[in-house]
Amino acid sequence: MPAEPSVRLTAREAIALLTGAADFTEHRPPPRTLPPDGPLGWTGYDAARERAAERTGEEESVVYGTGFVGDRACVLLSFEFGFLGGSLGLLTGDRLEAAYDLALTRRLPLLALVATGGSRMQEGMVALTQLQRVAAASTRLRAAGLAQLAVVRDPTTGGGWATVGAGADVVLALPGAQVGFAGSRVRPPDADPYAYGAEGQFTAGQVDAVVPAGELPGTVGRWLRALGPGSRAPHEPPPAAPLPRAQAPSSASGLPASGREAVERARSPRRPRAEAYLADYFAVRLPLHGDRCGSTDPGLLAGFGLRADGQAVAYVAQCGTPTRPAGYRAAVRTIRLADRLGVPVLTLVDTPGAANDAEAERAGAGAAIADTFAAIAAARVPVTTLVIGEGGSGGALALAAPGNTHVTADSYFSVIAPEPAAAILKRPPEETGATADQLRLRPQDLVELGIARSIVT
């Protein structure tokens, strides 16, 4: 069942919710005069605009300006759904483009508070082409390394969702909000309403979090701190992410004496997992959810975090399960966003290998892994890797930083796990241990071979 619809805030109420007592300075683009009844001469359009202005007190369906959320300055744009359903017309496009350009000029992140039914029918194709203007403005902001956050309110549909909303780097949604490209009047009559709501979009990996209104100021404030360079100069390279501290190993016997022991320790249920490392590493974690292609992988954690000293670090962590294509795509999304924003990356490697079932093949496992290798290789920010458990073949190596990979005493890294290696070599099962030794997969072997820089103990 869909959640109860959230309370519909006006544009200025939404801004006040985020900025609190802080000042909000409204901006307006240069005025433009439309022909009578708009670009199409749609009979009654001027009268409808006048009624909307009288009812809402607004001149258009978007309000924008500068303000603070917590201690971080940003450009805010907020849709007024009461003004012709928050629809996008030519003058709306002027305001949206001006908001993005203001963020570009001031070098500030852009926070969009979206509530819209889409493009304005009374302006026809002129209205629809405003989506191209928004896309171009968003691309300029992205190229400048500035973050874009969206809070999708009730409702967020049509082109507004497909540009300002879903096109943001981080998408938060209010509980119960209607969210989807197809509005309620144009979707199939038998469509599942859950798919068109905030909670359904979260399940499908299209929304990063569903956040109650009362928690939005704190959540957005933390995201603004995590996504921005803070006091660093815009083009100053960030410091590398510090190595995590060692967690209690599964064995008190030091390093494994054999390949078999290394594999057993990496597979032990007693050894610490990604959650333990991340909880110790970060004071605040802000997850990114889903691959934006309709899938999620619960065995891969990704997002941004703040350490106790305030340093922002992006993280991608495998949780000991075979990583699915959705997990690799979520990893790529996180790494490329961090690279664009100048935030260092930490990866925690722990997988027996990439998922190899038929569903994973249909979902594009090969392409997803290839894209992960490419994202790591292309990253301009430093990437730090710690292997905390199993390092199974290319499915693990895809997330490992060349030249900056470290290992724990409870880990191994191998071209292939010893059991399938023995099978490929047509060896009996009792020779699996000897095969593990030949693969030289122990932590100390990896350092000697130059695969790992150090053992974190």
Side-chain angles (χ1 to χ4, degrees), residues 348-431:
L348 300 180
V349 169
D350 183 11
T351 180
N356 58 6
D357 53 80
E359 180 184 351
E361 293 296 339
R362 285 192 292 266
I369 295 168
D371 209 22
T372 308
F373 273 112
I376 293 280
R380 296 160 297 179
V381 296
V383 180
T384 302
T385 296
L386 181 61
V387 185
I388 62 172
E390 292 195 79
S393 195
L397 188 67
L399 283 171
N404 198 23
T405 290
H406 306 258
V407 291
T408 69
D410 278 338
S411 71
Y412 79 85
F413 217 148
S414 178
V415 64
I416 190 170
E419 295 86 356
I424 290 170
L425 296 171
K426 299 181 180 180
R427 294 177 176 177
E430 57 268 22
E431 292 188 23

Side-chain angles (χ1 to χ4, degrees), residues 84-160:
L84 301 179
S87 56
L88 281 70
L90 181 61
L91 299 186
T92 322
D94 288 348
R95 291 183 173 224
L96 291 171
E97 185 176 52
Y100 282 87
D101 287 346
L102 179 63
L104 185 63
T105 301
R106 301 282 183 92
R107 291 206 58 81
L108 292 173
L110 181 117
L111 171 59
L113 311 175
V114 191
T116 174
S119 300
R120 196 170 295 171
M121 287 189 299
Q122 296 95 327
E123 295 188 22
M125 281 300 298
V126 173
L128 190 64
T129 57
Q130 302 312 301
L131 306 182
Q132 295 171 322
R133 292 179 71 187
V134 172
S138 175
T139 298
R140 291 193 293 271
L141 207 59
R142 187 161 293 150
L146 297 168
Q148 301 172 50
L149 286 81
V151 176
V152 291
R153 299 147 51 204
D154 184 49
T156 298
T157 62

Side-chain angles (χ1 to χ4, degrees), residues 33-388:
T33 301
L34 294 178
D37 280 330
L40 304 186
W42 186 290
T43 302
Y45 180 41
D46 284 349
R49 286 181 55 85
E50 289 172 5
R51 289 193 299 271
E54 182 178 351
R55 184 168 56 252
T56 64
E58 304 295 351
E59 298 173 354
E60 247 304 331
S61 58
V62 164
V63 175
Y64 77 98
T66 56
F68 281 81
V69 179
D71 62 352
R72 288 301 171 112
C74 61
V75 169
L76 298 99
L77 69 86
S78 186
F79 282 75
E80 175 53 66
F81 189 76
F83 193 103
L84 301 179
S87 56
L88 281 70
L90 181 61
L91 299 186
T92 322
D94 288 348
R95 291 183 173 224
L96 291 171
E97 185 176 52
Y100 282 87
D101 287 346
L102 179 63
L104 185 63
T105 301
R106 301 282 183 92
R107 291 206 58 81
L108 292 173
L110 181 117
L111 171 59
L113 311 175
V114 191
T116 174
S119 300
R120 196 170 295 171
M121 287 189 299
Q122 296 95 327
E123 295 188 22
M125 281 300 298
V126 173
L128 190 64
T129 57
Q130 302 312 301
L131 306 182
Q132 295 171 322
R133 292 179 71 187
V134 172
S138 175
T139 298
R140 291 193 293 271
L141 207 59
R142 187 161 293 150
L146 297 168
Q148 301 172 50
L149 286 81
V151 176
V152 291
R153 299 147 51 204
D154 184 49
T156 298
T157 62
W161 163 240
T163 50
V164 184
D169 299 316
V170 178
V171 182
L172 309 177
L174 286 173
Q178 181 188 172
V179 181
F181 185 64
S184 58
R185 298 183 183 181
V186 297
R187 67 183 65 142
D190 59 348
D192 178 7
Y194 182 75
Y196 300 86
E199 289 75 12
Q201 295 283 10
F202 174 79
T203 300
Q206 309 291 357
V207 164
D208 292 304
V210 178
V211 184
E215 298 176 15
L216 267 179
T219 300
V220 171
R222 289 187 289 272
W223 266 116
L224 290 173
R225 290 198 300 274
L227 295 179
S231 59
R232 246 185 332 104
H235 301 294
E236 180 184 342
L243 268 173
R245 295 183 295 194
Q247 303 298 296
S250 62
S251 171
S253 62
L255 296 175
S258 66
R260 180 190 292 277
E261 183 186 348
V263 173
E264 289 174 349
R265 287 177 61 167
R267 293 174 179 173
S268 170
R270 297 189 304 275
R271 71 160 171 83
R273 306 284 163 152
E275 279 287 359
Y277 282 93
L278 294 175
D280 180 71
Y281 192 80
F282 288 114
V284 173
R285 274 169 56 195
L286 299 161
L288 290 172
H289 181 73
D291 66 353
R292 293 299 185 264
C293 296
S295 299
T296 61
D297 180 359
L300 184 132
L301 305 175
F304 284 65
L306 294 167
R307 290 175 50 77
D309 62 0
Q311 181 184 6
V313 175
Y315 65 89
V316 176
Q318 293 169 315
C319 298
T321 58
T323 303
R324 307 202 65 78
Y328 291 113
R329 285 193 288 265
V332 168
R333 176 189 168 211
T334 303
I335 293 163
R336 288 185 173 149
L337 176 58
D339 189 49
R340 178 160 56 80
L341 299 179
V343 177
V345 177
L346 169 71
T347 65
L348 300 180
V349 169
D350 183 11
T351 180
N356 58 6
D357 53 80
E359 180 184 351
E361 293 296 339
R362 285 192 292 266
I369 295 168
D371 209 22
T372 308
F373 273 112
I376 293 280
R380 296 160 297 179
V381 296
V383 180
T384 302
T385 296
L386 181 61
V387 185
I388 62 172

Side-chain angles (χ1 to χ4, degrees), residues 435-449:
T435 303
D437 289 334
Q438 284 184 291
L439 288 169
R440 299 198 63 193
L441 47 70
R442 299 174 304 166
Q444 58 268 45
D445 296 327
L446 298 169
V447 172
E448 185 177 339
L449 290 167

